[in-house]
Amino acid sequence: MSNSSAAPPLLELRGVHTHIGAYHILHGVDLAVPQGQVTLLLGRNGAGKTTTLRTIMGLWRISAGELRLHDRMVGNADRHITPPDMVDQGIAYVPESMGIFADLSVQENMLLAARKARRAGDLDTARLEWIFGFFPALRKFWLHPAGKLSGGQKQMLAVARALIEPRRLLLIDEPSKGLAPAIVQSMIEAFAELKRDATTVLLVEQNFDFARRLGDRVAVMDDGRIVHQGSMAELAQDAALQTRLLGLSLDSHQ
């Protein structure tokens, strides 16, 4: 897939501010997420990356600015978007906390995420097999309580729930955090397959090898603002820019 910035944005934030209580977290975020590409959102801890995803999903209110989908305004300070609104728009969110239901089985967690399925027999068998190909542990523990899974297996389940149906946009917060290298590789392969299907992804990630291998575009945040947008390939090749924007070199985080 081309890394060209010419792809039209599926999602766009224009001057978005977010307050959480008395705290002003996002300070006029301008972000374009091209359709059919993987955009990485990078930055130091506390830069505002998770707040950006949560604001897009309607979990936090926009206090100024606007959110646009396919160049249509869907949310601003006067028009609050909600998570059900965004789900109806074909958007899935995988939070860093994973958000799985510990007392339910893996199967039941997947069924809840599949809006068109009322029972296990309604699940898309071909899509399930595709998911099992990347995350075979989910097949093995299909009827087990999700709370009994290991941390890595829970992360697999959280991502798999977002993939159980085709989505227009995936918002994913640090999917590789704490995972063993073999599981990270499976995650990379799953997202690479989504790229081939032209699924749009906005990904917060601290594993820079993961970011380099998957990203088409990159946006870097600092102090609640976007301070750089460009191609992932250009950032990956420019150690001086990496150090200036992130305080480190990608080569030191392989």
Side-chain angles (χ1 to χ4, degrees):
M1 178 179 296
S2 170
N3 285 348
S4 170
S5 61
L10 170 65
L11 172 77
E12 193 173 6
L13 282 70
R14 296 184 179 178
V16 168
H17 291 251
T18 299
H19 290 75
I20 302 175
Y23 297 98
H24 191 177
I25 308 299
L26 300 186
H27 298 265
V29 170
D30 293 305
L31 174 65
V33 180
Q35 186 168 345
Q37 296 189 8
V38 175
T39 298
L40 269 295
L41 188 57
L42 305 180
R44 298 177 178 89
N45 288 335
K49 304 182 300 296
T50 293
T51 299
T52 298
L53 295 190
R54 292 177 65 85
T55 299
I56 293 168
M57 201 63 197
L59 293 163
W60 299 127
R61 295 185 71 98
I62 295 172
S63 49
E66 64 180 34
L67 176 70
R68 304 182 72 85
L69 282 171
H70 280 309
D71 206 29
R72 181 175 64 88
M73 197 280 291
V74 295
N76 59 20
D78 299 318
R79 181 179 178 181
H80 177 53
I81 51 175
T82 67
D85 293 335
M86 301 311 279
V87 170
D88 288 343
Q89 293 285 343
I91 298 173
Y93 173 48
V94 182
E96 185 180 356
S97 62
M98 297 179 277
I100 64 171
F101 296 95
D103 293 336
L104 300 182
S105 68
V106 170
Q107 179 193 72
E108 290 166 334
N109 269 271
M110 295 289 279
L111 188 58
L112 283 175
R115 293 182 300 155
K116 297 179 181 179
R118 294 180 176 273
R119 49 194 175 84
D122 296 332
L123 291 171
D124 184 332
T125 303
R127 196 161 182 90
L128 266 182
E129 288 298 322
W130 176 76
I131 291 170
F132 290 153
F134 296 113
F135 308 130
L138 299 184
R139 186 202 300 272
K140 179 179 179 181
F141 297 111
W142 187 237
L143 299 178
H144 289 232
K148 300 290 187 181
L149 300 178
S150 70
Q153 291 162 352
K154 289 175 182 175
Q155 188 70 293
M156 289 185 225
L157 175 57
V159 172
R161 292 195 334 154
L163 303 182
I164 189 60
E165 291 182 345
R167 313 288 186 182
R168 294 172 67 192
L169 172 65
L170 297 174
L171 309 174
I172 306 178
D173 199 348
E174 297 203 39
S176 75
K177 186 175 181 179
L179 297 185
I183 300 176
V184 171
Q185 180 59 37
S186 292
M187 200 81 70
I188 288 172
E189 291 170 1
F191 287 127
E193 184 75 17
L194 289 171
K195 281 179 61 171
R196 287 190 285 273
D197 287 341
T199 300
T200 305
V201 181
L202 177 59
L203 189 66
V204 169
E205 184 53 64
Q206 295 291 350
N207 180 324
F208 293 109
D209 183 53
F210 190 109
R212 185 206 303 263
R213 293 171 64 183
L214 279 175
D216 296 299
R217 305 289 296 169
V218 61
V220 180
M221 293 197 76
D222 189 34
D223 195 24
R225 297 176 176 86
I226 300 293
V227 296
H228 172 83
Q229 292 192 69
S231 80
M232 187 70 228
E234 289 170 355
L235 180 62
Q237 294 166 8
D238 192 336
L241 183 61
Q242 296 162 24
T243 301
R244 178 169 67 82
L245 293 172
L246 301 166
L248 45 80
S249 168
L250 300 191
D251 289 334
S252 66
H253 287 71
Q254 300 280 335

